[in-house]
Amino acid sequence: ESAAEEAVKELENLTLAVDEEIEVSAELITYLLSQHSDILSKIKDDNPDVFINVLAKITRIHMRGHPAKVSKAKSDFHSVQVVSKTRTLTGREVAIVVGKTGSTINSISDKHSVVIEVSRDHSEDDSSTLRIIGQSASVDSAIAEVDTLLHQNEDVEEMLLVDPMMKNQLLNNSGAGIKEFQNSLYNAVLDSGSEAASGVAGGGGVFLVFDRNTAKGAPPALVIKSVRANMERAKNLVSKKIDEFNSNITTIDVPAEVIPAIIGKGGAKINSFRSEGAGAEVEADSTTGKVKIYSHDAATRETIKSAVEQIVA
């Protein structure tokens, strides 16, 4: 009996079958055919007795089957509410969103089950348009993730004041010190596993330069350039380096009239102090009467201090 009923059903499906087409939006077609959406597969699974063909070029969906079942399939398609939202991308934002070989954009698409397209605008500012297609809540969450990603990868700058002797140390030997410090910062940020250092936009480098607009007599300002996600880590490491340098400075107050004797003819005396140890630095200010001695070696600082005190005495 069940076989007979099955045969009757099959006969009804064949004899009563109808063909229907529904016109849908281009966004829905794009979404249905995307590898990031399983909606089309689900509708086909839910309507196994209906032949379904998506006609992308004319934005129509063709269905064939029993009228009642075709009606059910039509209802399923009409229930899919798809929206499309756009966002302008400028400069390196395209590279950030797309990621290396498309890894970032594909990850966001898979995570939120949306279609993401990037198209270049024909405008003077060389901008591009990011278009996200999908169900409303998913599109909103995908845009939120893109906004966060771009915010974290935005280029920012911070300034920290340093002692003039530290500036000299970093810029000596054609800037070898600042280059080495910059590389160590970059490696430390990579090792931290921060979001921006995980491969997005080339890992988010860290760059150090001294501000050229510092007023005469003001402490040098070291400028840290980085993406936002890396800045806190980089700034903390630079601050630690500055603190370590400052902890190795000994300051002596002497009569201002003694300063020329400490400097010596043509700087001979102060240069002799600097040769007391590798990396030693001495500065004498004739206005304030302050002599500052830097060395990472405490014994070297003490030797130079004693020599200065003998001149004062």
Side-chain angles (χ1 to χ4, degrees):
E1 185 175 331
S2 60
E5 290 177 349
E6 197 64 37
V8 170
K9 277 186 179 181
E10 187 65 29
L11 183 61
E12 285 181 348
N13 286 335
L14 292 172
T15 57
L16 300 177
V18 295
D19 287 281
E20 286 198 37
E21 285 186 4
I22 56 172
E23 187 171 357
V24 296
S25 66
E27 286 82 7
L28 179 58
I29 294 290
T30 300
Y31 184 62
L32 292 174
L33 296 180
S34 168
Q35 63 179 348
H36 304 293
S37 167
D38 61 357
I39 295 296
L40 181 58
S41 296
K42 185 176 184 306
I43 292 177
K44 286 183 175 182
D45 290 343
D46 291 344
N47 299 275
D49 297 324
V50 179
F51 170 77
I52 296 173
N53 186 23
V54 177
L55 307 173
K57 290 185 178 180
I58 59 175
T59 62
R60 288 176 174 270
I61 300 173
H62 174 250
M63 290 163 283
R64 178 176 177 78
H66 189 280
K69 294 180 179 180
V70 169
S71 178
K72 164 68 167 53
K74 284 170 56 179
S75 176
D76 288 348
F77 279 114
H78 286 310
S79 69
V80 180
Q81 299 298 311
V82 170
V83 299
S84 173
K85 294 186 179 181
T86 61
R87 186 193 196 284
T88 299
L89 300 178
T90 58
R92 68 186 191 93
E93 289 182 338
V94 173
I96 294 171
V97 172
V98 173
K100 189 175 182 180
T101 66
S103 58
T104 304
I105 198 170
N106 287 332
S107 174
I108 296 174
S109 295
D110 289 338
K111 179 179 177 181
H112 301 282
S113 298
V114 295
V115 179
I116 303 180
E117 301 171 340
V118 177
S119 58
R120 186 175 295 278
D121 299 336
H122 300 291
S123 58
E124 294 182 0
D125 61 0
D126 199 31
S127 60
S128 297
T129 297
L130 176 76
R131 184 170 178 240
I132 302 180
I133 304 169
Q135 298 186 71
S136 182
S138 298
V139 169
D140 288 343
S141 60
I143 285 181
E145 182 165 343
V146 169
D147 287 344
T148 298
L149 179 66
L150 294 177
H151 179 73
Q152 290 295 85
N153 280 277
E154 183 182 359
D155 289 325
V156 293
E157 294 184 4
E158 292 273 1
M159 285 188 183
L160 292 174
L161 300 181
V162 303
D163 189 278
M165 289 192 294
M166 183 174 182
K167 178 181 179 180
N168 293 339
Q169 287 276 316
L170 291 174
L171 296 183
N172 281 343
N173 299 321
S174 302
I178 199 168
K179 291 174 185 175
E180 181 181 351
F181 186 24
Q182 183 173 280
N183 288 337
S184 70
L185 285 174
Y186 176 72
N187 291 329
V189 167
L190 285 180
D191 291 341
S192 73
S194 72
E195 182 178 354
S198 64
V200 176
V206 179
F207 304 96
L208 300 175
V209 294
F210 279 98
D211 181 29
R212 295 183 178 182
N213 298 318
T214 301
K216 187 176 180 179
L222 181 60
V223 182
I224 309 167
K225 298 183 177 184
S226 175
V227 295
R228 190 183 303 279
N230 290 343
M231 180 54 75
E232 183 177 1
R233 171 74 169 154
K235 187 177 179 181
N236 287 340
L237 291 171
V238 173
S239 295
K240 183 179 179 182
K241 179 82 168 180
I242 293 172
D243 290 343
E244 288 175 353
F245 188 93
N246 291 341
S247 69
N248 290 319
I249 295 176
T250 297
T251 302
I252 312 171
D253 290 311
V254 302
E257 60 268 20
V258 181
I259 294 296
I262 294 173
I263 294 174
K265 187 176 180 180
K269 178 58 77 173
I270 199 168
N271 285 334
S272 71
F273 294 151
R274 291 167 179 157
S275 65
E276 286 291 338
E281 189 70 46
V282 181
E283 282 193 354
D285 191 324
S286 59
T287 302
T288 62
K290 288 187 180 296
V291 178
K292 293 195 294 185
I293 304 163
Y294 167 80
S295 175
H296 57 79
D297 177 58
T300 298
R301 293 198 304 275
E302 191 58 34
T303 298
I304 298 173
K305 178 184 176 184
S306 297
V308 170
E309 289 174 340
Q310 287 178 9
I311 294 175
V312 174

